[in-house]
Amino acid sequence: MGTCILPQNLSKRLIKELIQGKEMATKLQLMLHDHNKPLVEENIGFGSVSSSSSSAEELASKILNSFSQTLSVVTGYNNDNTINNIIHSNSSDQTSQVNPHDQASHCDDPSSDDYGAESKIKRSSHGIKDRRGCYKRRKNSQSWTTTVSTLEDGQAWRKYGQKEILNAEYPRAYFRCTRKYDQGCRATRQVQQIQDNPKLYQTTYIGEHTCKNILKPPQMIIKDSDLDNNLMNVITSTTILEEVKPIISSSITTNDTSSLSDDHHNKLSLDHHHHHHNNSDHEIINLWPSELKDLELSDPSMGLLSSSLGVSASNNDDHDIVSIMFSFGDRTINTTNCSTSGTNSHSLDMDEFVDTSIEFRSCDFEFDDNNEFCLLGSL
DNA sequence: AATATTTGACCTAG
DNA sequence: CTAGGTCAAATATT
């Protein structure tokens, strides 16, 4: 597909930014892991960040900035596969590629059912060995490798194998896109755990998603009872929203609601304030895109939108007061002083959200009696 | 029932 | 032949 023609200096800068971002994210993760957990247990839970909040915030800010810089480089030069190629150059093995076509005659479309029925019959009938058809390794596919601390990347993967790897402490897991058969998507990924406690995985993405990852109605679930756990999964990440991708450009850090200059500077953040709390009443935590799984739509290869979900809340009442702010760069959607009761989960239809909210300037939402997320104000 | 995971066999590149 | 990528039946989960 697209080949990367990125000036070397920018390429270096991009790599540098990504490395820095990764390092800082790791630090932040450790920080959260080491300091927050004990605090959560003996303390109030959501106030936990406060003890190390200054440095953590600092780190978070730097990380965001790092990704912003990265985005500005990427989106300024290529909106397609640039990032893949760049990161790929950093990848460990299965390199050598850059032969984007010739994706191994790996059963090009699922319709030409290759290894499917036919071989199944031959194998199961009499245990007769026969070739399963055209299966070949896809060593010529685009691939890139990252090191992360979670299996979650917001995409729908289906595990199809696991292997013990020579000289590797942990087995390697193989995943394919869930839409492999209904949409012929050939994206796969391999996850190699390289460390335990804290967990670290080296994730290699092979091939690009060709699917539209939007089959089920996207939903954002905010379950009060899960907030504690969610906070422990915290880290930062870059994900993509297909609909928003085309208008991403440079900076993603501004939250200024006053200016409505252009369609760029997109950032999704969600603040979940708690007001019954003693120390701080406003904390922002970046959640993994697993929390956004169902609204997350694409693959990490196609573009980047740094979407962070900030959440904090109080559980000391049967009425949680939450305030949620979505900000797409300089546009903000704010939900202040929403009152919700009970421990039900609130769902937000992200289909509608993604489609329409870009048009909003500032408006209010709340959870109604059915815990539906609804619009209060006008556009 | 549909969908996901586990796991040993199968298959290919080197 | 070996190492590692994939298949698919059995099993588990939703």
Side-chain angles (χ1 to χ4, degrees):
Chain A
M1 318 248 170
T3 38
C4 168
I5 311 173
L6 195 69
Q8 198 176 12
N9 60 329
L10 289 179
S11 177
K12 283 180 181 173
R13 187 180 146 207
L14 187 56
I15 291 170
K16 185 184 159 201
E17 290 293 344
L18 285 169
I19 290 172
Q20 280 182 352
K22 192 183 113 186
E23 287 172 352
M24 291 184 290
T26 305
K27 281 184 191 173
L28 183 58
Q29 184 199 25
L30 289 173
M31 203 175 292
L32 292 166
H33 186 267
D34 292 341
H35 298 303
N36 289 352
K37 211 158 195 172
L39 278 174
V40 168
E41 281 167 358
E42 70 187 37
N43 213 337
I44 351 69
F46 298 108
S48 50
V49 189
S50 57
S51 63
S52 57
S53 66
S54 61
S55 49
E57 282 174 8
E58 214 172 292
L59 268 177
S61 167
K62 285 179 182 174
I63 291 166
L64 276 178
N65 189 53
S66 190
F67 283 123
S68 302
Q69 295 298 321
T70 305
L71 276 173
S72 69
V73 174
V74 174
T75 56
Y77 269 85
N78 194 335
N79 53 10
D80 196 356
N81 297 316
T82 302
I83 190 92
N84 306 350
N85 293 303
I86 291 167
I87 296 180
H88 170 266
S89 67
N90 191 23
S91 78
S92 52
D93 43 39
Q94 41 196 326
T95 46
S96 74
Q97 43 76 235
V98 187
N99 233 334
H101 27 260
D102 194 0
Q103 276 242 299
S105 48
H106 185 93
C107 331
D108 274 327
D109 59 315
S111 54
S112 77
D113 193 29
D114 12 282
Y115 41 74
E118 186 185 348
S119 55
K120 187 188 296 178
I121 294 169
K122 288 184 179 172
R123 278 184 70 184
S124 56
S125 58
H126 290 295
I128 301 172
K129 286 186 194 172
D130 201 350
R131 317 185 102 220
R132 286 189 195 168
C134 56
Y135 128 55
K136 282 182 182 173
R137 291 187 208 175
R138 307 194 309 163
K139 63 168 187 169
N140 289 328
S141 303
Q142 290 252 1
S143 69
W144 62 100
T145 301
T146 63
T147 302
V148 293
S149 58
T150 177
L151 271 356
E152 291 294 335
D153 67 355
Q155 297 173 67
W157 298 108
R158 169 84 158 269
K159 188 175 180 180
Y160 67 86
Q162 178 166 308
K163 262 307 232 204
E164 295 293 338
I165 300 301
L166 200 69
N167 296 326
E169 195 173 349
Y170 307 97
R172 177 177 300 170
Y174 299 87
F175 298 84
R176 38 147 266 226
C177 177
T178 358
R179 329 277 183 207
K180 177 177 180 179
Y181 297 116
D182 55 21
Q183 294 187 31
C185 182
R186 287 201 224 120
T188 63
R189 83 170 176 173
Q190 300 178 3
V191 177
Q192 175 76 62
Q193 184 177 344
I194 55 181
Q195 187 187 100
D196 204 4
N197 188 37
K199 292 241 192 305
L200 266 188
Y201 307 94
Q202 184 171 277
T203 302
T204 300
Y205 293 89
I206 303 168
E208 298 187 17
H209 282 280
T210 55
C211 58
K212 289 276 177 267
N213 218 354
I214 330 176
L215 292 188
K216 22 181 179 179
Q219 279 193 329
M220 175 186 296
I221 306 292
I222 303 168
K223 199 182 289 183
D224 295 341
S225 54
D226 283 342
L227 280 170
D228 264 301
N229 296 329
N230 289 341
L231 286 171
M232 286 302 103
N233 292 330
V234 168
I235 198 177
T236 71
S237 174
T238 54
T239 74
I240 317 94
L241 290 174
E242 187 104 59
E243 284 82 348
V244 190
K245 182 176 64 185
I247 55 174
I248 296 176
S249 82
S250 52
S251 169
I252 57 167
T253 53
T254 172
N255 274 342
D256 183 7
T257 59
S258 58
S259 66
L260 196 57
S261 55
D262 53 40
D263 285 332
H264 306 316
H265 317 300
N266 297 289
K267 176 189 174 190
L268 170 62
S269 73
L270 189 156
D271 293 352
H272 200 136
H273 306 230
H274 56 111
H275 295 250
H276 297 316
H277 206 269
N278 34 0
N279 309 350
S280 64
D281 60 352
H282 180 185
E283 288 160 6
I284 296 181
I285 300 295
N286 295 314
L287 291 185
W288 266 116
S290 59
E291 310 306 320
L292 298 168
K293 184 183 295 180
D294 290 333
L295 71 95
E296 224 291 337
L297 315 161
S298 184
D299 68 309
S301 67
M302 303 291 288
L304 293 170
L305 168 66
S306 171
S307 69
S308 57
L309 176 63
V311 174
S312 68
S314 62
N315 277 344
N316 52 5
D317 239 331
D318 56 347
H319 273 55
D320 285 352
I321 306 233
V322 291
S323 168
I324 300 177
M325 178 185 69
F326 299 100
S327 66
F328 284 88
D330 48 14
R331 298 176 190 191
T332 331
I333 302 168
N334 209 352
T335 80
T336 24
N337 295 329
C338 297
S339 183
T340 68
S341 61
T343 58
N344 299 321
S345 64
H346 319 297
S347 68
L348 187 161
D349 188 336
M350 290 309 292
D351 248 340
E352 187 176 342
F353 172 68
V354 170
D355 287 347
T356 61
S357 62
I358 308 284
E359 308 301 325
F360 300 156
R361 184 187 212 102
S362 177
C363 48
D364 291 324
F365 295 85
E366 76 167 9
F367 297 110
D368 65 14
D369 297 336
N370 302 319
N371 285 317
E372 298 287 335
F373 198 58
C374 39
L375 174 64
L376 276 184
S378 56
L379 303 190

